[in-house]
Amino acid sequence: MSKLLYGIAVLGLGLLAPLSQADTDVEIKANIVNTSCQISVDNNGLVDLGTQGLDYFARDITAEDFYQGGSSFYIHIKECMPVSGREPSKLTVHFSPLSGSFAVGSAQIFANDAVDGAKNVGVVIFSVNDANNVFNVINTDGTPRSRYDVTAADYADSRYTFYARMQKIQSGQSIVSGAVKSSVLVSVYYE
């Protein structure tokens, strides 16, 4: 028995000993600037897309197509500070999936986060701030598309209108009914 305990103790010590070790220095640099905005989403960030039947998805509607059956919402941006003493001229509203991943096969469709929810359905968001220039807020490569020219009055206090709707993800696959929920992070950048 003592040989067994001795063998276990030696094995335990062997596992605790480092196999190899190396050290290096890392230099980290950063700038801190007072350039933030206050942003808020109406209705405490809840956008209700209602209920749709399976026939809603029967048409060949893509993530680029503005289509009825969704809901508008507003993002209020105020108290943005000048950047390095210069007045900003561009504002970007960036929407990204809180989970970190878009729906499989598309960088424009937010995945359905409902665990036992609908299958092959996600959410798309459009900028409808200008009725003559309506577009999906995400480019096909996943980069933000919602960039706006701004004046001092715009970044001091403004409201931007967006529209969300459900979207079929894979056109050749069936949809399974259920709940749809997408959690989206909204970030505002200006320059």
Side-chain angles (χ1 to χ4, degrees):
M1 173 132 170
S2 64
K3 283 186 175 184
L4 179 61
L5 288 175
Y6 177 74
I8 291 173
V10 170
L11 178 64
L13 290 175
L15 293 175
L16 294 175
L19 298 176
S20 65
Q21 184 175 341
D23 293 325
T24 188
D25 292 332
V26 176
E27 182 177 335
I28 299 173
K29 294 182 178 182
N31 290 324
I32 299 173
V33 293
N34 184 15
T35 55
S36 62
C37 298
Q38 289 184 16
I39 62 173
S40 61
V41 181
D42 64 323
N43 198 28
N44 293 319
L46 299 174
V47 180
D48 185 356
L49 300 182
T51 302
Q52 298 291 343
L54 292 176
D55 60 329
Y56 175 79
F57 304 98
R59 298 159 193 85
D60 290 327
I61 304 299
T62 71
E64 287 286 317
D65 297 324
F66 183 75
Y67 187 63
Q68 83 338 15
S71 183
S72 294
F73 64 98
Y74 305 97
I75 295 179
H76 190 202
I77 300 169
K78 65 181 183 175
E79 298 179 14
C80 297
M81 305 300 287
V83 179
S84 301
R86 294 188 350 237
E87 302 295 326
S89 61
K90 293 275 185 204
L91 180 108
T92 301
V93 181
H94 183 165
F95 296 84
S96 57
L98 196 56
S99 67
S101 300
F102 284 100
V104 175
S106 175
Q108 291 183 296
I109 303 172
F110 294 93
N112 184 4
D113 298 332
V115 177
D116 293 326
K119 305 294 184 230
N120 198 30
V121 177
V123 173
V124 289
I125 300 173
F126 293 85
S127 171
V128 294
N129 207 52
D130 176 356
N132 295 318
N133 187 24
V134 174
F135 53 86
N136 187 313
V137 297
I138 306 292
N139 285 309
T140 56
D141 65 358
T143 58
R145 186 185 284 170
S146 49
R147 292 178 47 98
Y148 308 97
D149 293 327
V150 293
T151 65
D154 292 328
Y155 69 83
D157 189 4
S158 58
R159 186 175 84 163
Y160 294 85
T161 309
F162 297 93
Y163 174 84
R165 67 168 174 81
M166 290 180 276
Q167 172 66 43
K168 187 174 188 177
I169 299 169
Q170 300 292 330
S171 62
Q173 295 181 10
S174 298
I175 289 177
V176 175
S177 62
V180 175
K181 175 189 173 199
S182 287
S183 298
V184 178
L185 176 66
V186 179
S187 303
V188 175
Y189 306 96
Y190 59 97
E191 54 191 282

